Amino acid sequence: MTTRTPALAQAVFPALGTTATLLVTDPGALSAANEVLRTELRAVDLTCSRFRPDSELTRVNLAAGAPTTVSEHFADALHAALRAAWITDGAVDPTVGSAVIALGYDRTFACVRPDDARPVPVGRPAPGWQRISWNPRTRRLLLPPGTRLDLGATAKARTADRAARQAAAATGCGVLVGLGGDLAVAGPAPEGGWRIALADDHAQSVTEQGPAVAVTGGALATSGIRVRTWLRGGRTLHHIVDPHTGEPAPPVWRTVTVTAATCADANTASTAAIVLGERAVHWLRSTGLPVRLVGLDGTVVRLGGWPPDSRVHRPGGPR
């Protein structure tokens, strides 16, 4: 998913193991918006990273089996994760942490061994989000013994929402924040909307024609199984785990792109669709959200009023 809106000020830099993209409609506001985004990124990294030994998430996971009090920022992130689990009936579940680690995604993706000869361990179902004891008023949390939370499915999308909203409020201009496949906009959109090119990989070079969509408000998220993959025991694994099996979700959809009022909701739906596989179409229809699914063979399924593919002219492509 790549932005293709011309004549806007832009900042692009690595963050959270992916690429952060910031666009503003007022070039003079770029510096202030950039500081808002970086502040949000620092906060979510320190709070929700499972790769930092000093993160709050690491502390919470180490305390599993004993009650602990969490910060307001962690409480907000946990609320988003539990909401995602509730609305997807557990297809997106924050208790998959141990399953993700067992598959080999136990360090930042750049450091994951691309070809691991060890056999893939037998998958074990996640403990289940319903077993979490959580009091939002006192921010008191109790995880079942041995449970590891992974907030990755929602924390990044929530950060895109927060950063876009706060940057627009601080600058008064239109703002787009993209964090990998998670994209949120706020403030007045540029004429014609924010033009977003759709691709399997958000970092893919845009040198040819391809499908695009115009976004004027809310958010858009893409989940897929083609980018974050690695080999283990001769099997190709990916990072989206089915909580009910502890295994990577069966490969049915190459990518799923969803638009919603918030990036957290869009990402929840797109991730759930990957997990649900063949059942995704029925479930997505019940949400009423606009969705574009791409099958392994490239077949496109559009739901919820998603428009026919328009083409974005990219440098070097036919016109």
Side-chain angles (χ1 to χ4, degrees), residues 3-318:
T3 57
R4 295 296 300 167
T5 304
L8 299 172
Q10 174 178 269
V12 180
F13 54 92
L16 305 182
T18 186
T19 303
T21 302
L22 170 68
L23 286 92
V24 294
T25 55
D26 176 7
L30 182 62
S31 178
N34 192 31
E35 182 55 34
V36 169
L37 173 57
R38 288 179 182 271
T39 297
E40 283 296 316
L41 290 169
R42 286 191 294 268
V44 73
D45 190 43
L46 188 57
T47 304
C48 300
S49 173
R50 63 185 180 89
F51 307 119
R52 291 183 59 148
D54 61 342
S55 75
E56 186 169 9
L57 177 62
T58 297
R59 176 180 69 81
V60 166
N61 283 339
L62 289 173
T68 185
T69 301
V70 302
S71 68
E72 289 186 13
H73 200 286
F74 190 95
D76 287 345
L78 179 61
H79 172 78
L82 293 177
R83 180 177 183 275
W86 177 67
I87 64 179
T88 64
D89 196 23
V92 181
D93 189 321
T95 66
V96 296
S98 293
V100 174
I101 291 171
L103 291 170
Y105 195 2
D106 56 354
R107 63 206 76 185
T108 60
F109 189 74
C111 299
V112 170
R113 295 164 65 178
D115 191 352
D116 190 339
R118 294 176 299 168
V120 179
V122 176
R124 295 183 177 180
W129 65 279
Q130 301 97 328
R131 296 185 62 202
I132 296 173
S133 176
W134 168 238
N135 186 325
R137 184 179 61 81
T138 62
R139 303 200 306 274
R140 200 73 168 158
L141 172 65
L142 175 61
L143 299 179
T147 300
R148 288 189 179 96
L149 295 180
D150 182 346
L151 304 180
T154 50
K156 182 161 60 69
R158 171 180 165 274
T159 300
D161 284 326
R162 287 173 56 96
R165 184 171 60 250
Q166 293 179 22
T171 63
C173 71
V175 175
L176 178 149
V177 172
L179 299 175
D182 297 326
L183 184 151
V185 303
E191 184 177 356
W194 303 93
R195 291 283 288 174
I196 311 300
L198 305 178
D200 285 358
D201 184 352
H202 72 274
Q204 181 176 306
S205 175
V206 287
T207 57
E208 301 177 356
Q209 281 191 323
V213 65
V215 176
T216 57
L220 181 148
T222 297
S223 297
I225 63 170
R226 287 292 184 86
V227 178
R228 296 200 172 199
T229 64
W230 62 97
L231 288 174
R232 181 164 179 179
R235 284 180 57 189
T236 298
L237 306 178
H238 62 81
H239 71 295
I240 300 180
V241 172
D242 182 345
H244 297 99
T245 65
E247 296 271 356
V252 174
W253 307 109
R254 197 167 74 196
T255 59
V256 179
T257 302
V258 180
T259 63
T262 67
C263 197
D265 281 355
N267 178 278
T268 294
S270 64
T271 303
I274 295 291
V275 172
L276 292 171
E278 297 287 357
R279 296 173 292 152
V281 170
H282 176 74
W283 181 80
L284 288 166
R285 282 198 176 110
S286 73
T287 71
L289 295 172
V291 183
R292 180 180 186 270
L293 306 98
V294 182
L296 298 182
D297 62 356
T299 301
V300 176
V301 177
R302 301 174 186 85
L303 305 172
W306 188 283
D309 286 350
S310 63
R311 316 301 287 184
V312 58
H313 287 287
R314 302 167 178 165

